[in-house]
Amino acid sequence: CEGGCTTTTTTTTTTTTTTNNDPECEVASKYYHPPADLEEPYCTNSKDYPPAWDNVLDDNGNKMFLFDTIDDCCAFYSPMPRDMCGEVDVCSPDCCTYTKESGLPFEQCEGGCTTTTTTTTTTTTTTNNDPECEVASKYYHPPADLEEPYCTNSKDYPPAWDNVLDDNGNKMFLFDTIDDCCAFYSPMPRDMCGEVDVCSPDCCTYTKESGLPFEQCEGGCTT
């Protein structure tokens, strides 16, 4: 179409990032403990717990929130059934999968967990043609196959039509105006004659909606 058509390209980029820590499990504590907010019913051996917990003792002088085993930690949630207590071993190769599936903080896992980021970039490009509509003919004419009842001012017509004259010496298939061209289809009603102006910004839309050849439009059409 005249002035060029706008094409939109969407590119999706997926980036996978893994944070690698030291192979030795340095993020593990020697204790199991509940999460710092005490909200989710699970126990973990991560080092991520309030430092003050080292000094919080129960009536027997034992650490109140830090435990030597996972079972002792889960007993903290008694009388909640043992099987409802989640177990997070930050050194386990299944740590990432387990925490993500359980909706628990996966950042605590050794080696870091793989996170996937998807970025979508949309680029809009407009092809600008010469302002003068170079694909337009000075004539309006029917399509070359004479099948569809429409008139166009494209240059795409048989060269022989320049020399085909009617009884009055006028060009038989080439016309100065769209109305004269549509009269070629008489007695078909005028409003049944399609009008394709290859220089119109609506050329692509009109031809596609009308099932007409859109390749004739200035600048080409986006498919």
Side-chain angles (χ1 to χ4, degrees):
C1 294
E2 172 68 12
C5 294
T6 299
T7 57
T8 301
T9 303
T10 301
T11 303
T12 300
T13 303
T14 300
T15 304
T16 300
T17 305
T18 301
T19 304
N20 294 313
N21 298 316
D22 190 273
E24 185 176 347
C25 192
E26 296 179 349
V27 297
S29 165
K30 63 179 180 178
Y31 298 114
Y32 283 90
H33 57 85
D37 58 14
L38 298 176
E39 291 185 0
E40 294 291 333
Y42 74 92
C43 287
T44 175
N45 60 346
S46 78
K47 289 183 177 179
D48 185 21
Y49 64 84
W53 282 7
D54 284 307
N55 302 313
V56 178
L57 307 179
D58 61 18
D59 294 338
N60 297 318
N62 299 315
K63 295 182 186 297
M64 184 174 291
F65 301 111
L66 304 178
F67 306 90
D68 293 329
T69 69
I70 190 77
D71 288 326
D72 288 342
C73 179
C74 283
F76 171 81
Y77 293 103
S78 179
M80 183 185 76
R82 172 66 176 82
D83 59 6
M84 292 183 64
C85 175
E87 303 179 15
V88 176
D89 179 358
V90 296
C91 298
S92 168
D94 298 324
C95 181
C96 291
T97 302
Y98 176 78
T99 51
K100 288 183 178 180
E101 290 180 350
S102 303
L104 304 177
F106 56 82
E107 296 81 1
Q108 60 190 308
C109 298
E110 166 67 7
C113 295
T114 300
T115 55
T116 301
T117 303
T118 301
T119 303
T120 301
T121 303
T122 301
T123 304
T124 301
T125 305
T126 301
T127 303
N128 293 314
N129 301 313
D130 190 273
E132 184 176 348
C133 189
E134 297 179 350
V135 298
S137 166
K138 64 179 180 179
Y139 298 114
Y140 282 90
H141 57 84
D145 58 13
L146 297 176
E147 292 185 1
E148 294 290 334
Y150 75 91
C151 288
T152 175
N153 60 346
S154 78
K155 288 183 178 179
D156 185 22
Y157 64 84
W161 282 7
D162 283 308
N163 303 312
V164 178
L165 306 179
D166 62 16
D167 294 338
N168 297 318
N170 299 315
K171 295 182 185 296
M172 184 173 290
F173 301 111
L174 304 178
F175 306 91
D176 294 328
T177 68
I178 190 76
D179 288 325
D180 289 342
C181 179
C182 283
F184 171 81
Y185 292 103
S186 179
M188 183 184 76
R190 173 66 178 80
D191 59 7
M192 291 183 64
C193 175
E195 303 179 15
V196 177
D197 179 357
V198 296
C199 298
S200 168
D202 299 324
C203 180
C204 292
T205 302
Y206 175 78
T207 51
K208 287 181 180 181
E209 290 179 349
S210 303
L212 304 178
F214 56 81
E215 296 82 359
Q216 61 191 306
C217 297
E218 168 70 2
C221 296
T222 301
T223 55

